[in-house]
Amino acid sequence: MRKILAATLAVVMILGIFAPMGLQANEIRVTIDGVTVDFEGQPPVIVGGRTLVPVRGVFEALGFDVGWNQPTQTATLVRNDFTVVISIGSANFTTNGASYPLDVPAQIIGNRTMLPIRAVLESVGYYVDWNQSTQTVLVSTTRVTTPKVAVGNNHSMALHTDGSLWVWGDNAFGQLGNGRTTRYGAQDVIVENNNELRPIRIMEGIVDIAAGIDFSLAVNTNGELFAWGRNDIGQLGDGTRTNRATPVKIMDDVVFVDAGGFTSIAITSDGQLWQWGNDVTRWGHNENFPSPRRLMSNVMTAAAGSGHILMVTNNNRLYGIGMVQNLGIYDGNPNLSPVWQGSPHVTQPTHIMSNVQAVVSNSQTSFALTTGGRMYGWGPNSLGDIGIGSNEFWINLPQFVMADVREIFTGSMALRNDGSLWIWGAIDDAFDNRIAGPGGQTEEVGGSLMDNIVRYGNSPVRLMDNVIAAAGIGVGHYLVVDRELNLYAWGRNQFGQLGTGRVNAYEHGEPDEYWTPIYLVEDNNEASPVRIGSMTGSRIYIVQAGDTLWSIAQRIFGDGERYRDILEANGFTDTSLFTVGTALIIPDA
């Protein structure tokens, strides 16, 4: 499905809809853009510490058609591009075929279907908050941007919920889009306090992003696609082969964008798939296209790999085009042996599998997620790249990897329905386990540190919890965003792609330096509060390294004495401890 409309829960990180267990039902209100919803006899109730709200009252007010199937005890909510299915007693619901968990199952109370609406509303792009003082569920119809991250070979991108785009890392080709071209070499040295080595804000009003090899792509709220960076084979799509250090507009009406190596793709609102850059259908013929060309119709999502493109149609059928051994259709014919040079190419979209809702490609390795939450993979596997428990050289046909998956990411990572992020395969051939992130292992394949190979293993392992977005490149670096909008990074940093404000080719420092939150701060390198949601009379600040309550109060209020207000708002005492990453409630002055 289109990344802009769904797939990852359009989540604004809030404290959730919590209320005391003893609260009477008639004390709870629900408002939509400030207007109170009338529930006609059955008000919201508290079950399991969650506020359950009648489905029909809220969703009909939002313009959904609400259908009820009595034999199956199922409610179906339909409006424009969204179809939500909720079954009584189920701990999950689906939006456009993707499965999401419910903290409390849907149930019938007072002859009404009741459910915790926060997850369902956020899955269709709305913002939900809880006002404790007025005991009110606050629903806003203003769509918010889904947090996203993207990684190029040596640069990084992050899309904040406020629509701001942040970039950092290598800028040799202008891939940061700030009008400059700079590079900090791959020597094992430290470069401190350079703005391009920390996240810098370059654009506003962005809803989708992608990163290729030394170039970047972004789509704004108007559907305008912009590109910048390296352009030697037309990968920017502006009709030239000239590098661009600032964003240049490419096309309109775009709802999805992706990049793979030197290939770019976009989907327009009418379901047309467009491609430019490297011609994946004619590898070795030195042909490329510097302007978008239409490749296929009726496409809802796609993935650009290395030498191939995968497309999912509106009826959930997966097709592929490009190098045959990358498509998951190799049938064992020795004339189609999996070698890079000279391999035959599929020049027309070819069916691979059905019931697919999402795809990603890590160079030649690809993964598909079915509508039932089952993930399949194929391609090179000598380092456990597919995650199927073996190191067989090549997996020719799609093989099952794991179930209960909500979303799949580049870098061999998968998000399960419980919010846990899983990872597998080789991480890098140059780093020790301090760089691998939690759970990484090293394998001695030589006599020195540089001969070690880092693995998570050939089967998925649980990396961390409460994740909403991730991206990685299997021989480089990784980014993860959690539910509190903390941005984590680990891996290579020879061009500052971790955003720590320093360059260090192999990162031989202390282990905790490489598993520390990196925050989206202003481009002057001064840490500033990150507002998460809208809490009446307060805001949220994410604790950073070196913070004290006094320094936070002094920075925010201009008066260090206000730290006692922070203590009280968070229920702290003078002896309370907090750590980097803690979300503090900051009462408004």
Side-chain angles (χ1 to χ4, degrees), residues 419-443:
S420 60
L421 182 67
W422 297 67
I423 192 168
W424 59 93
I427 298 304
D428 202 282
D429 60 358
F431 302 123
D432 64 9
N433 61 353
R434 295 177 302 181
I435 311 305
Q441 302 295 320
T442 58
E443 176 181 333

Side-chain angles (χ1 to χ4, degrees), residues 234 236-240 250 274-277 288-294:
L236 298 188
D238 66 348
T240 76
I250 305 303
W274 301 77
Q275 184 260 326
W276 59 97
N288 49 70
F289 296 85
S291 298
R293 59 169 180 163
R294 189 162 50 190

Side-chain angles (χ1 to χ4, degrees), residues 40-60:
E40 299 182 357
Q42 178 56 59
V45 298
I46 302 295
V47 176
R50 293 294 188 269
T51 302
L52 269 61
V53 175
V55 171
R56 188 174 295 274
V58 171
F59 281 89
E60 286 186 344

Side-chain angles (χ1 to χ4, degrees), residues 290-372:
S291 298
R293 59 169 180 163
R294 189 162 50 190
L295 195 61
M296 189 176 177
S297 301
N298 300 316
V299 178
M300 68 174 181
T301 192
S306 180
H308 69 293
I309 296 173
L310 302 173
M311 305 84 80
V312 181
T313 60
N314 293 329
N315 60 357
N316 299 107
R317 290 170 63 86
L318 174 63
Y319 290 82
I321 191 170
M323 299 177 65
V324 69
Q325 79 270 20
N326 295 353
L327 299 182
I329 59 175
Y330 173 57
D331 62 2
N333 186 328
N335 293 324
L336 301 181
S337 59
V339 294
W340 182 264
Q341 294 295 338
S343 294
H345 284 70
V346 175
T347 59
Q348 296 295 324
T350 301
H351 181 251
I352 301 171
M353 56 188 295
S354 300
N355 300 318
V356 173
Q357 62 169 306
V359 287
V360 298
S361 287
N362 306 329
S363 185
Q364 292 177 277
T365 303
S366 300
F367 298 92
L369 178 63
T370 70
T371 54

Side-chain angles (χ1 to χ4, degrees), residues 442-587:
T442 58
E443 176 181 333
E444 286 282 349
V445 295
S448 69
L449 176 65
M450 292 302 100
D451 292 325
N452 289 348
I453 188 165
V454 177
R455 301 176 186 272
Y456 279 111
N458 54 25
S459 296
V461 296
R462 192 175 191 135
L463 181 68
M464 59 185 293
D465 295 317
N466 299 316
V467 170
I468 58 172
I473 184 169
V475 291
H477 66 290
Y478 296 76
L479 304 175
V480 171
V481 179
D482 71 11
R483 285 185 172 272
E484 281 69 49
L485 287 188
N486 296 324
L487 175 61
Y488 298 86
W490 70 96
R492 288 191 176 185
N493 197 37
Q494 70 270 46
F495 298 104
Q497 55 265 54
L498 296 189
T500 58
R502 53 187 268 166
V503 166
N504 195 327
Y506 298 113
E507 293 289 20
H508 294 313
E510 293 301 317
D512 59 1
E513 291 185 33
Y514 317 112
W515 189 241
T516 301
I518 298 170
Y519 300 99
L520 306 182
V521 299
E522 298 293 342
D523 58 7
N524 60 4
N525 286 333
E526 293 296 328
S528 58
V530 179
R531 185 179 293 273
I532 305 176
S534 58
M535 296 175 54
T536 301
S538 64
R539 48 187 155 165
I540 300 297
Y541 178 80
I542 302 300
V543 175
Q544 305 180 58
D547 274 337
T548 66
L549 290 181
W550 181 284
S551 67
I552 293 172
Q554 191 173 44
R555 183 161 60 249
I556 294 176
F557 299 116
D559 178 4
E561 292 291 341
R562 290 293 301 273
Y563 84 95
R564 293 201 173 275
D565 293 334
I566 303 176
L567 283 177
E568 181 178 353
N570 291 277
F572 288 166
T573 68
D574 286 332
T575 59
S576 296
L577 299 177
F578 60 92
T579 61
V580 170
T582 299
L584 296 181
I585 300 172
I586 307 295

